Amino acid sequence: LSSRVVENLFWLGRYSERVDAASRLLRVVLTHHIDNAGEVAPPEEALLRVGEMVRILPVDNPEDEDAEPQSIEDRLRTAIYDAASDNSVANACRRLIWSASQVRERLSLDHWHSLNRMQRDLQTLRPSNAELGDMMMVLDSVLQVSSSLTGFSLDNMTRDTGWRFHLLGRRIERMA
């Protein structure tokens, strides 16, 4: 295999895992936030700190006097929709789709149906007016695609060196 193919399969694995982990964490935070009607309970506070530590959620720095504090909804909106933010779900999805496009011949048709669905969903995002329910629907949709991609990787990819690099990328991202 060429180094280009191996590198893109590796990053495809990393971005697949990144999309999945970020979406799952944000969905848990969002669920707690909705269930507590906006009140920040200790479990949600702990989840917010974890999200900040793994750099999925933007850090709200109350010590910075010049910065206006962001609401939890705004921080969630950024973590989901802001394609310019390095660790947002939208950014990870775009990078995942790009990596996949570089190794298109190595992926099954089922992979592509799911990736096309993800791309269509990303194109319809309206972050500026997204409500909590909208954010939950986006995360649920991303997780459905992410789960199917995981299954296709395990069931439909040829078990060769490229597949091993793909799995290596997933496992390294899971440890990070």
Side-chain angles (χ1 to χ4, degrees), residues 143-158:
L143 282 168
Q144 285 176 346
V145 171
S146 175
S147 295
S148 65
L149 291 175
T150 300
F152 299 144
S153 295
L154 295 174
D155 291 343
N156 296 0
M157 285 181 77
T158 304

Side-chain angles (χ1 to χ4, degrees), residues 14 17 31-32 48 52 60 71 78 84-85 110 131 135 175:
R14 295 239 11 210
E17 195 64 33
T31 300
H32 276 275
L48 290 170
E52 290 171 355
D60 189 28
S71 69
T78 299
S85 176
D110 292 330
E131 299 295 326
M135 289 187 258
M175 290 186 316

Side-chain angles (χ1 to χ4, degrees), residues 6-21 24 96 107 111 115 118 142-143 145-155 157 162-176:
V6 169
E7 179 180 7
N8 282 298
L9 285 169
F10 173 81
W11 282 104
L12 177 66
R14 295 239 11 210
Y15 291 130
S16 296
E17 195 64 33
R18 193 172 295 177
V19 164
D20 192 66
R24 288 182 191 283
L96 167 68
L107 304 177
H111 256 107
L115 288 166
M118 180 182 282
V142 167
L143 282 168
V145 171
S146 175
S147 295
S148 65
L149 291 175
T150 300
F152 299 144
S153 295
L154 295 174
D155 291 343
M157 285 181 77
W163 181 76
R164 287 183 180 88
F165 273 93
H166 176 73
L167 284 183
L168 182 66
R170 289 187 77 97
R171 292 185 178 151
I172 286 173
E173 186 66 30
R174 203 173 293 163
M175 290 186 316

